[in-house]
């Protein structure tokens, strides 16, 4: 599914030198390695501020808390994402409200968000938290118009979307504040847990910096109850090295995705969708946007049997995500039930992520597509 050694081996010397420098200078927590990465990351994304922290999950919580989301407020997000997209709202002591997804992009559907805003709990909503799922930006034209008209904050879950663009604007600078994850499988990845908050607001950035260090602006003077969610120096140093290659890596991911499209079409397996019948529905890139293909996710009717078949051929695949968030045991208290979000539930039964990473070879992709063709025949 993912061979990280192909990324690591060519960078071995650079990465070891960066780690050695942290050991020699003993800047283990924050310090210059993290500050340097924050400056470089902000410049790369074209945002005023980047605030390094200890994970994407913490970045989401910091983003919400910095934006003043707390008790008595509600935030709308998607039921089809990683757990943290909803749990961060609960951690901020706010109420998550869910809206169904678009069947083609798997991203939060603005029309369904509008329905929630007009519903009985809409008055408490202070923010919308769209997820740029699989590396493709959510429909930012619609969400920014909605936020402007209703005075809501927009918080991006950009955990899977380093380098993605919506009509020329980069993820991380689209909303009021954004959260990135550098978990080792992400397209820009650390050697452990790490995350980042980005924003163009001086005030939000200042609050995020304060909250990531137990609410301290001055050492041992605590203005608010924050948390310990700092980025460590090793991760900052490693991310600075990898940041130099991310444009190249994302371009390579796009080439891999294009090759999958071509191979599936040439094999006569691609069908229009949004729902599968005989073959595979290929992932769709919204025009005028830039998908970074964190995942290449097909839709197919006999998904679980296909996955078993691929496993029997030693071909990795993954399901992001098998259980929609409203059906997770831990989130039963939200009050939703099976049937609440039919698109998310159907996607959870049909999606399958295929191997994709910058160094994936064409012959390997051919093997994947040939195996799928064999299964479907
Ligand atoms: C969409 C989404 N949000 C949030 C997160 C949380 O990031 P982390 O694992 O770094 O805490 C992830 C990553 O796993 C994710 O994919």
């Amino acid at each position: 599914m993912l061979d990280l050694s192909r990324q690591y081996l060519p960078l071995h010397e650079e990465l070891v030198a960066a780690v050695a420098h942290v050991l020699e200078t003993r800047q283990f927590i924050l310090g210059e390695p993290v500050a340097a990465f924050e400056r470089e990351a902000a410049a790369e994304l074209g945002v005023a501020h980047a605030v390094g922290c200890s994970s994407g999950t913490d970045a989401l919580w910091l983003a919400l808390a910095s934006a003043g989301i707390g008790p008595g407020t509600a935030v709308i997000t998607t039921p089809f994402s990683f757990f943290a997209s909803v749990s961060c709202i609960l951690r901020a002591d706010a109420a998550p409200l869910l809206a169904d997804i678009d069947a083609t992009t798997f991203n939060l559907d603005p029309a369904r968000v509008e329905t929630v805003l007009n519903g009985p709990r809409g008055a408490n909503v202070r923010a919308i938290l769209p997820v740029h799922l699989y590396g493709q930006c959510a429909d930012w034209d619609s969400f920014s118009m909605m936020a402007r008209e209703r005075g809501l904050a927009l918080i991006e879950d950009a955990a899977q979307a380093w380098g993605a663009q919506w009509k020329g604007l980069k993820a991380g600078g689209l909303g009021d504040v954004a959260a990135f994850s550098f978990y080792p499988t992400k397209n820009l990845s650390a050697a452990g847990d790490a995350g980042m908050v980005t924003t163009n607001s001086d005030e939000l950035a200042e609050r995020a910096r304060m909250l990531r260090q137990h609410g301290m602006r001055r050492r041992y003077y605590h203005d608010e109850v924050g948390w310990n969610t700092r980025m460590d120096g090793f991760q900052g140093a490693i991310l600075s090295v990898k940041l130099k290659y991310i444009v190249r890596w994302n371009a390579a991911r796009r080439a891999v995705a294009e090759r999958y499209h071509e191979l599936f079409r040439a094999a006569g397996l691609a069908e229009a969708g949004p729902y599968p019948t005989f073959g595979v529905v290929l992932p769709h890139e919204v025009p005028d946007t830039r998908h970074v293909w964190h995942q290449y996710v097909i839709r197919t009717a006999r998904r679980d049997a296909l996955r078993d078949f691929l496993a029997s051929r030693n071909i990795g695949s993954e399901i992001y995500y098998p259980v929609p968030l409203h059906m997770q045991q831990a989130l039963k208290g939200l009050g939703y039930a099976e049937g609440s979000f039919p698109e998310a539930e159907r996607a959870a039964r049909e999606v399958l992520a295929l191997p994709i990473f910058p160094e994936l070879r064409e012959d390997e992709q051919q093997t994947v597509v040939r195996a799928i063709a064999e299964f479907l025949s």
Side-chain angles (χ1 to χ4, degrees):
M1 185 65 185
L2 172 63
D3 181 359
L4 279 174
S5 66
R6 295 189 205 177
Q7 182 191 79
Y8 171 68
L9 291 173
L11 298 186
H12 169 82
E13 280 181 20
E14 254 187 291
L15 289 171
V16 169
V19 167
H21 183 71
V22 175
L23 284 170
E24 281 153 12
T25 56
R26 292 165 302 282
Q27 301 204 58
F28 297 132
I29 307 276
L30 297 176
E32 184 49 27
V34 173
F37 174 61
E38 290 175 338
R39 286 193 298 274
E40 293 153 6
E44 174 78 23
L45 294 177
V47 293
H49 305 281
V51 181
C53 63
S54 54
S55 70
T57 302
D58 279 333
L60 279 169
W61 171 75
L62 276 174
L64 288 161
S66 306
I69 302 300
T73 67
V75 178
I76 302 178
T77 192
T78 165
F80 196 58
S81 181
F82 180 62
F83 184 69
S85 306
V86 168
S87 67
C88 67
I89 300 170
L90 293 166
R91 276 275 170 257
D93 288 326
L97 297 180
L98 304 181
D100 212 349
I101 57 167
D102 175 83
T104 305
T105 63
F106 306 105
N107 273 326
L108 189 60
D109 182 344
R112 319 275 174 136
V113 171
E114 195 77 57
T115 308
V116 175
L117 284 168
N118 292 331
R121 298 171 73 189
N124 289 339
V125 175
R126 294 287 172 277
I128 307 172
L129 194 159
V131 179
H132 303 318
L133 198 70
Y134 305 146
Q136 168 151 264
C137 290
D139 177 352
W140 221 259
D141 289 351
S142 302
F143 289 123
S144 46
M145 195 189 299
M146 218 177 276
R148 247 195 330 270
E149 282 171 1
R150 298 186 183 245
L152 303 173
L154 282 182
I155 298 167
E156 298 170 68
D157 182 339
Q160 304 185 359
W162 185 280
Q165 291 184 25
W166 179 267
K167 307 201 173 159
L169 298 172
K170 285 189 182 159
L174 297 171
D176 296 279
V177 57
F180 287 94
S181 164
F182 305 122
Y183 183 79
T185 59
K186 297 294 192 264
N187 63 334
L188 178 60
S189 65
D193 272 318
M196 177 167 273
V197 172
T198 58
T199 180
N200 283 310
S201 157
D202 297 348
E203 189 193 332
L204 279 177
E206 197 272 333
R207 280 187 58 73
R209 286 182 195 283
M210 178 266 295
L211 289 169
R212 78 175 165 179
Q213 294 222 69
H214 282 301
M216 286 189 286
R217 290 187 169 87
R218 215 172 127 201
R219 204 166 170 76
Y220 303 130
Y221 290 78
H222 302 269
D223 302 338
E224 285 182 47
V225 179
W227 207 245
N228 170 6
T229 168
R230 302 169 297 221
M231 183 185 278
D232 73 63
F234 291 118
Q235 304 310 338
I238 284 166
L239 284 161
S240 273
V241 171
K242 292 198 179 183
L243 188 63
K244 291 189 277 181
Y245 301 92
I246 189 64
V247 170
R248 213 177 304 167
W249 289 336
N250 279 344
R253 279 177 185 276
R254 288 180 59 81
V256 171
E258 194 51 47
R259 228 153 45 206
Y260 267 135
H261 292 340
E262 285 162 13
L263 290 168
F264 278 118
R265 287 190 191 117
L269 300 177
E271 58 176 318
Y275 307 114
T277 54
F278 68 90
V280 299
V281 177
L282 303 184
H284 169 77
E285 182 176 33
V286 176
D288 293 335
T289 68
R290 195 172 171 82
H291 199 317
V292 286
W293 301 102
H294 172 58
Q295 298 298 341
Y296 187 90
V297 177
I298 59 167
R299 257 185 121 132
T300 184
R302 290 163 54 219
R303 190 269 316 274
D304 292 338
L306 172 60
R307 185 162 191 236
D308 291 344
F309 181 81
L310 293 176
S312 75
R313 298 291 173 92
N314 257 335
I315 296 172
S317 65
E318 193 49 85
I319 301 169
Y320 305 109
Y321 294 91
V323 182
L325 296 174
H326 64 288
M327 289 164 65
Q328 294 285 353
Q329 182 62 29
L331 299 176
K332 286 267 190 291
L334 297 184
Y336 299 108
E338 189 168 356
S340 296
F341 304 107
E343 292 296 355
E345 290 167 29
R346 181 160 187 174
R349 291 193 298 271
E350 294 178 345
V351 293
L352 190 64
L354 302 180
I356 188 164
F357 48 96
E359 304 82 8
L360 189 67
R361 297 191 312 266
E362 183 164 0
D363 62 297
E364 293 171 316
Q365 291 188 262
Q366 281 166 350
T367 304
V368 174
V369 174
R370 260 200 308 270
I372 294 174
E374 191 182 328
F375 173 81
L376 290 172
S377 71

